Structures are given as C-alpha cells and as structure tokens.
Amino acid sequence: MSSLFRNKSWLVLLALSMLLIVSACGGSSSSDTAETPAASGSNNSTNEGSAAEGESRTIKHAMGEETLTGTPERVVVLTNEGTEALLAVGVKPVGAVQSWVGDPWYDHIKDQMEGVEVLGEETQPNIELIAGLKPDLIIGNKVRHEQIYDQLKQIAPTVFAEELSGNWKNNMTLYAEAVNKKAEGEQAFADFDKRVEEVKSKLDEKASTKVSVVRFTAADVRTYMKDSFSGVMLEQLGIARPADQDKNEFVEKLTKERIPAMDGDVMFYFVQEDVGSTDAQKAADEWMNEPLFQSLNVAKTGEVHQVNEVVWNLAGGYLAANLLLEEIATYFEVN
C-alpha cells in the first residue's frame, strides 16, 4: 500500500506560503461535514465590495442578522474551516479552537497562528477564554454551537454559518463578508478556481479514472461520497467516482460485507487515529487483509494509496483545498 502523498504536502505548503508572502507584499493576484493562499489585504481595506470603516452593514446568517461597522480587529473563530478562511483573506484571529490534529495547530497553518489564543475544541469552546479576549466579532457554526449562541452574542457580535458541508466556499463567503474582506475572498476564489481549471484541462481521459475515498477508524469504516470535502473537489475537477460513491450524499458506514463499495480504479484512504493509539491502523490492516478486499480491482492493481487525513478530510477549508488539489494533480501527473 502506497503512502504517496503523506510526505509531499509540505512541498505544496511551501509554495502556498510563498504565494501568501508575495500577495501580502504586492497586492492581489489574478471537509468532514458534520464530523469536521490566497488573497491579501490590510485590515483597513476599502476595496470594492468591502464597507468603509465608518459604514454599517447587516450580515444575514444562520441565527438571524448581525449589524457590523467597519473592519473587525479582534476576531474569534470557532471552527477549523473558519480559521483557514480567515487566514486566506489576511485576517489572523486573536483566538481560535484548536485543530483536530496537531499541538495545537495543523502543520499547514501553524506558522500563521503564532500568538493566537487556543480556545478549546471545536465541539466545546471555552466561553470564559473567549470573553477574556474581548473580541469585536465571533464566528461560529450552527451545527456545532447553536446551544451557546446566546452566551456568545452577549460577549460580542456573533455570526454563524448554517452547516458544515463539503462545499467550504459557502461558509467562507459569509466569513469574508463578516470581517469586511469580501473583495479578498472573491480574489481567493478566483485564484483557486483558476488553478482548478488548469488541472482539469490537463486531465483529459484521466478524468474517467474512478476514484474511491475511504476512512478507517477503530470504531468504523466509511466511504466518502460527493457531499464531502474530497468529493466536492473531485466533482469540480470532473473526476469519475465508483457507482457506490457517485451519490449526492456524505458518507456510508460499511460492514465487511460492503467491502466491494470501496472498489474503483484507485483508492485513496486515510486513517483517523487518536493520539498515541494504533487501533485505527490495525483496523485498516485487518480490513485490507480480508479475502473480499484482496479480490477488489484496486487491490489487484496495487492502486491503494494512504493519504493525509487532515488534507483529505479534517481541515475542510481553503488552505487544505489547495493542498488537496495539488495532491490530486500530483497523482495524475498533471502539475
């Protein structure tokens, strides 16, 4: 089983970091749903689409409406994908929930998160720490934080996205508007979409390769369909999926009798492991040693590749989407 991409993400990260540096110096350039660079610009941007510092604007969000004035300077963000969105538009939060993997941040964002206050986990942010930061804007998500919305709103203006889905652009659009970086957000999307089209144009007949995406944990095994972080990316690139995964759904939890649902022309899998544990890897090894798995096309051809769970599933935001795009381009040799 190949680990083709696990050691290549840092190369892509380096390229993205250089892009962020160049953008910051020279101006703008041309995930798991309910589980879990781009444009630049100063915090005083008044580009088209952004409000002037003294202007008020009303943000419609999952919990109603919030009126904001100018550009927030002390932003707290309570989702991992939200953190990536803010970094992508040049906003460093004063506080953020810790990454699902890392101590406390994902490797691909840690250099940009120096000095940011850790606010606990995405599923249980620390209200007292949030209040102590005296934010002028709190960004959260209805799926995760609906029960604490009233408490957060007493601390500072609060904007919630409706859901956590594979289409991360929906939430990032809201966040960019909330932090008065609409123009920077649009530029980030334009940069990303341009690169997607570059990769897509080079794929040609390779796009007919049926790509299977699988996750192993100690508790369950899942295939990922079109409404997942990786699924949205594969669809945007026009890459085919196996029939069992070519559905507008999120995931399917498998029994061993459903191992054939993993098959395709290539299978990318990741192992979601608790720190210090090897139970998920043992589960992966056990399933892939099953005779039924060994009878699959991907097993016979050796097209089974382990990938980074952060990039393919957990991070779920703009920066991870760029990393995922480059990993797919690397596999298909269309960089």
Side-chain angles (χ1 to χ4, degrees):
M1 309 304 174
S2 167
S3 56
L4 184 62
F5 303 118
R6 285 181 295 171
N7 296 321
K8 288 189 176 181
S9 291
W10 70 271
L11 292 172
V12 181
L13 174 59
L14 178 61
L16 287 172
S17 298
M18 292 302 295
L19 176 59
L20 280 168
I21 292 169
V22 170
S23 297
C25 294
S28 297
S29 63
S30 24
S31 196
D32 202 311
T33 53
E35 295 175 319
T36 128
S40 63
S42 71
N43 286 335
N44 296 315
S45 171
T46 56
N47 292 336
E48 184 177 355
S50 300
E53 288 308 304
E55 291 182 2
S56 295
R57 63 196 187 282
T58 299
I59 308 296
K60 294 182 180 180
H61 64 105
M63 306 301 291
E65 295 183 350
E66 189 67 73
T67 300
L68 303 171
T69 302
T71 302
E73 296 181 354
R74 297 184 61 80
V75 182
V76 159
V77 60
L78 304 182
T79 63
N80 279 247
E81 48 85 39
T83 298
E84 295 206 0
L86 294 188
L87 294 175
V89 298
V91 175
K92 183 176 181 178
V94 295
V97 291
Q98 68 189 60
S99 300
W100 295 114
V101 174
D103 187 21
W105 314 117
Y106 295 133
D107 285 345
H108 69 277
I109 67 170
K110 64 183 180 181
D111 289 346
Q112 301 176 66
M113 295 292 284
E114 185 177 351
V116 176
E117 183 81 16
V118 181
L119 301 176
E121 296 182 355
E122 183 172 308
T123 53
Q124 195 171 5
N126 188 310
I127 300 293
E128 291 183 3
L129 288 177
I130 295 171
L133 287 173
K134 298 181 180 180
D136 51 14
L137 176 65
I138 300 170
I139 291 174
N141 190 283
K142 185 177 180 180
V143 171
R144 297 283 193 229
H145 311 118
E146 183 175 12
Q147 293 183 341
I148 61 172
Y149 173 72
D150 290 337
Q151 291 173 271
L152 295 173
K153 191 169 172 59
Q154 291 176 18
I155 298 171
T158 300
V159 171
F160 275 12
E162 181 71 34
E163 60 184 20
L164 289 163
S165 72
N167 195 344
W168 49 271
K169 284 186 177 182
N170 293 337
N171 288 3
M172 183 168 163
T173 298
L174 174 66
Y175 305 152
E177 184 179 3
V179 298
N180 203 24
K181 297 288 185 178
K182 184 177 179 181
E184 288 86 344
E186 290 173 349
Q187 183 63 57
F189 291 154
D191 292 343
F192 176 77
D193 290 342
K194 179 181 178 182
R195 179 59 180 149
V196 168
E197 290 305 312
E198 289 174 352
V199 173
K200 185 176 181 179
S201 68
K202 296 177 182 178
L203 283 169
D204 295 326
E205 70 278 0
K206 293 180 179 179
S208 63
T209 303
K210 293 182 174 63
V211 173
S212 170
V213 182
V214 180
R215 183 191 81 166
F216 294 94
T217 74
D220 61 44
V221 177
R222 303 179 178 191
T223 54
Y224 283 73
M225 303 183 201
K226 293 166 71 174
D227 190 24
S228 64
F229 185 63
S230 58
V232 168
M233 175 68 75
L234 292 168
E235 185 169 26
Q236 191 169 3
L237 289 167
I239 294 174
R241 306 297 306 280
D244 280 307
Q245 298 176 33
D246 193 24
K247 302 174 183 177
N248 291 317
E249 299 173 17
F250 175 38
V251 298
E252 179 189 355
K253 294 184 179 180
L254 301 183
T255 61
K256 288 186 176 178
E257 289 74 20
R258 286 287 292 150
I259 282 177
M262 297 180 182
D263 207 3
D265 296 318
V266 57
M267 179 181 125
F268 298 118
Y269 76 94
F270 44 90
V271 177
Q272 192 164 315
E273 194 79 81
D274 292 332
V275 177
S277 174
T278 59
D279 292 340
Q281 187 59 59
K282 289 178 181 176
D285 294 341
E286 176 188 327
W287 278 63
M288 288 190 285
N289 282 321
E290 287 284 335
L292 190 53
F293 184 88
Q294 291 297 318
S295 71
L296 301 182
N297 176 62
V298 288
K300 292 177 179 178
T301 61
E303 287 290 346
V304 179
H305 305 287
Q306 184 170 0
V307 292
N308 187 321
E309 63 164 331
V310 169
V311 173
W312 282 72
N313 182 48
L314 292 180
Y318 180 87
L319 303 180
N322 278 275
L323 292 171
L324 175 55
L325 176 58
E326 297 307 325
E327 289 196 358
I328 293 171
T330 296
Y331 172 77
F332 284 104
E333 298 180 336
V334 292
N335 299 78

